[in-house]
Amino acid sequence: VTARWQPPGWPHLLGTDQLGRDILSLIMAGSRTTILVAVGAGLVATAIGIALGALGALTARWMRETVAVLVDLLIAFPVLIIAMLISTVRGPSLWVVVWAVGIGFGVNVARVTRPELRRVQQSDFVVAGRASGLNPVQNLVQHLLPNIAPVFIVQLSWAMATAVLAEAGLSYLGFGASVVDPSWGIL
């Protein structure tokens, strides 16, 4: 009978855990799960941030004010608490973490996107695009979004980094990935 726990050595460079599993293999397999959560939450956050930011910047005044109140209301709730509540109802799942963290940080992206879109909207090339007959969606895609892309890149990297921490914390507490799926939080 071999011992389940083994110290670092040649067959297992980082050793084994209590169940005899190789720790290096678990870290490598867990990185796949963590990267999936980071990219998924980043994409969800970006999509929600663009949609809410565009609604809050490019529509009628009553819609802008409604979106601003909605964003302020959603920012008041901590993302991890919302993810824990959803995970309690739906069961621990990576997709719950992806959507909860993505929605939570999408609101933060919208909060930054809205004033940037309002600033760029007053530029001459945007006014010229509108005068040339571009509809608002074409104007958004061709002129506005490329000019605020640096803001999105920063917000996306921030959301992805925070999603990694959120997934690790939620998995450690038992609200994230199931025990079968290796992730850095479970490790």
Side-chain angles (χ1 to χ4, degrees):
V1 176
T2 61
R4 291 189 175 194
W5 179 83
Q6 294 178 5
W10 167 241
H12 307 286
L13 296 178
L14 296 179
T16 61
D17 63 0
Q18 299 88 349
L19 301 175
R21 299 177 298 183
D22 185 43
I23 293 176
L24 180 61
S25 299
L26 287 173
I27 290 172
M28 291 181 352
S31 65
R32 180 180 55 213
T33 303
T34 303
I35 289 171
L36 174 74
V37 169
V39 170
L43 292 175
V44 169
T46 301
I48 290 172
I50 289 173
L52 283 176
L55 278 175
L58 307 175
T59 56
R61 182 176 179 184
W62 68 271
M63 180 63 95
R64 290 194 307 258
E65 292 175 358
T66 303
V67 169
V69 168
L70 177 69
V71 166
D72 289 340
L73 180 70
L74 291 175
I75 283 180
F77 295 104
V79 175
L80 294 178
I81 301 296
I82 293 171
M84 285 182 201
L85 289 172
I86 295 171
S87 180
T88 302
V89 173
R90 302 275 305 169
S93 168
L94 284 178
W95 300 112
V96 169
V97 174
V98 166
W99 282 100
V101 172
I103 290 169
F105 291 112
V107 175
N108 291 330
V109 172
R111 189 173 182 101
V112 174
T113 301
R114 190 174 66 89
E116 285 295 315
L117 284 172
R118 296 285 294 169
R119 181 185 59 82
V120 175
Q121 184 184 18
Q122 305 304 323
S123 300
D124 291 339
F125 58 88
V126 176
V127 174
R130 205 174 325 145
S132 70
L134 290 178
N135 65 30
V137 174
Q138 290 173 331
N139 210 2
L140 176 71
V141 171
Q142 289 181 9
H143 296 295
L144 294 172
L145 291 181
N147 283 294
I148 63 169
V151 173
F152 281 129
I153 292 170
V154 170
Q155 291 297 313
L156 179 64
S157 65
W158 179 72
M160 289 173 67
T162 310
V164 169
L165 292 174
E167 183 273 328
L170 288 170
S171 294
Y172 178 76
L173 294 173
F175 293 103
S178 64
V179 178
V180 179
D181 299 325
S183 75
W184 289 349
I186 291 176
L187 294 177

